[in-house]
Amino acid sequence: MEFRQLQYVIQIAKEKNFSRAAEKLHIAQPSLSQQLSKLEKEIGVLLFRRTTNSVEMTHAGSVFVDKAQNILDSIEQLKQELDDIAHMRKGKLVVGSLPITGSHVLPLVLPVFGRRYPEIEVALVEDSSFRLEQLTASGQTDLSLLSLPLHEPSLAWEPLIEEEICLAVPPEHPLALKNEAVNIQDLAQEPFVLLKKGQGFRQIAIELCEKAGFQPRIVFESGNIETVQSLVAAGMGIAFVPKMVARAKWYEFAPAYLPFAEPAPSRTLVIASRKGRYLSKAAEAFIETMKSTIESHFHS
């Protein structure tokens, strides 16, 4: 079994297509097929079922891909550790981020990190909470900006900031006209606009309603908190919104934002990595830069 064959199998599993996998690997498709057949013959099991239009992993293939990913990740960690031992400043850091939250946090952090460590390349991966947890657990991101609670048990995390949650309502909503602090239990009959499943903040919103004794009546769902706010501004319902992403009043589709009565709800932003994974000096430096920058910006 060769190192490159592990890479080939992982790429085929990602693409579910031999042509696309071969293109990404920069090899000819016949060569890729031959290498896979050679590997399957060597280990005595079929890793993929081939049909005319698709490639489907077998159970053995799924087990193989998981183990192969761990092997490649271990090799990458070894490289990073040896680079650190050799005091090399160059490197690459893969950082996962929630798209909207990242758009408010990373512009503060990345310029500072870039000035301090100009030879370290930072690659960003933006995805949903669910996918980012998976990517971090498999080592495909070194670090990820997420919000609690995390559902992947293999992740470790450090807190960054406790952020207030506010209520977004249409500008002409009776609650907006009263302009008073809101009790969550008074929202039981209201229509809610929520994020779609797989977004961490959706679960926070549902749990806030459940703790107040009701299930939210969901009238619209979106994969983007910006769309959620636009729908609220258009009168389609109400929504919980992290204060960080609340829109300025001059924005064309800005809802009215109301505080909650004490104890006010909040969410905790964290920087997560896989438990037991070697954190490079670059990763440690990024965590420290992120913590200090956020502390000075949001608590000043």
Side-chain angles (χ1 to χ4, degrees):
M1 189 182 303
E2 300 176 20
F3 177 75
R4 61 175 178 168
Q5 290 174 323
L6 303 184
Q7 296 174 306
Y8 292 171
V9 171
I10 289 172
Q11 197 65 49
I12 295 169
K14 282 182 180 179
E15 302 296 335
K16 296 182 175 59
N17 180 282
F18 276 91
S19 296
R20 289 197 300 270
E23 184 178 346
K24 292 286 179 65
L25 292 164
H26 304 293
I27 62 173
Q29 182 178 332
S31 178
L32 178 61
S33 298
Q34 289 171 7
Q35 286 295 323
L36 179 61
S37 298
K38 178 182 175 182
L39 175 62
E40 289 176 327
K41 184 176 181 180
E42 178 185 344
I43 61 179
V45 293
L46 193 67
L47 300 178
F48 297 96
R49 295 188 186 90
R50 291 83 150 171
T51 65
T52 304
N53 299 316
S54 66
V55 177
E56 181 183 347
M57 267 196 300
T58 63
H59 174 66
S62 179
V63 172
F64 187 96
V65 167
D66 285 343
K67 298 296 183 183
Q69 186 67 60
N70 288 338
I71 291 169
L72 295 184
D73 186 47
S74 295
I75 292 171
E76 186 59 34
Q77 290 180 63
L78 176 60
K79 289 179 182 177
Q80 289 182 347
E81 191 165 1
L82 292 175
D83 283 349
D84 285 343
I85 292 172
H87 304 293
M88 291 181 65
R89 292 180 59 83
K90 292 183 179 180
K92 180 178 180 180
L93 196 60
V94 182
V95 178
S97 175
L98 303 168
I100 303 302
T101 300
S103 71
H104 289 77
V105 173
L106 294 177
L108 303 173
V109 176
L110 290 177
V112 177
F113 186 78
R115 287 193 296 271
R116 292 179 182 175
Y117 307 96
E119 296 184 3
I120 297 176
E121 176 190 353
V122 178
L124 292 180
V125 176
E126 293 183 316
D127 216 318
S128 67
S129 302
F130 176 74
R131 279 289 298 147
L132 284 177
E133 288 193 32
Q134 288 186 321
L135 293 172
T136 312
S138 65
Q140 294 180 68
T141 66
D142 298 299
L143 304 167
S144 285
L145 176 64
L146 294 162
S147 63
L148 296 183
L150 304 184
H151 299 93
E152 176 54 62
S154 65
L155 297 184
W157 53 268
E158 291 189 44
L160 294 173
I161 184 175
E162 191 81 11
E163 182 189 12
E164 180 185 340
I165 294 172
C166 56
L167 181 70
V169 301
E172 301 303 318
H173 193 284
L175 289 173
L177 301 178
K178 287 173 65 176
N179 196 28
E180 297 175 353
V182 179
N183 291 300
I184 297 178
Q185 55 265 35
D186 295 336
L187 306 176
Q189 303 305 315
E190 296 282 347
F192 277 84
V193 183
L194 293 190
L195 289 170
K196 291 182 178 180
K197 291 180 180 178
Q199 305 282 356
F201 194 72
R202 173 194 173 92
Q203 190 58 36
I204 292 175
I206 290 175
E207 289 177 2
L208 287 174
C209 294
E210 290 177 342
K211 287 178 182 177
F214 67 94
Q215 290 289 332
R217 181 165 65 89
I218 304 169
V219 292
F220 282 100
E221 296 179 337
S222 172
N224 190 311
I225 192 68
E226 295 290 359
T227 304
V228 168
Q229 293 179 89
S230 292
L231 290 172
V232 171
M236 307 310 295
I238 66 172
F240 296 108
V241 175
K243 189 173 182 179
M244 185 186 297
V245 304
R247 292 174 172 175
K249 291 182 179 179
W250 49 262
Y251 197 92
E252 183 179 1
F253 290 104
Y257 298 100
L258 301 172
F260 284 104
E262 295 295 338
S266 63
R267 70 165 178 170
T268 303
L269 294 181
V270 302
I271 189 74
S273 59
R274 196 180 72 200
K275 289 178 182 176
R277 176 181 172 83
Y278 173 76
L279 281 181
S280 67
K281 298 298 183 186
E284 290 180 350
F286 190 86
I287 292 173
E288 182 54 40
T289 302
M290 178 168 272
K291 289 169 72 173
S292 62
T293 304
I294 288 176
E295 176 69 24
S296 64
H297 183 83
F298 290 103
H299 295 290
S300 58

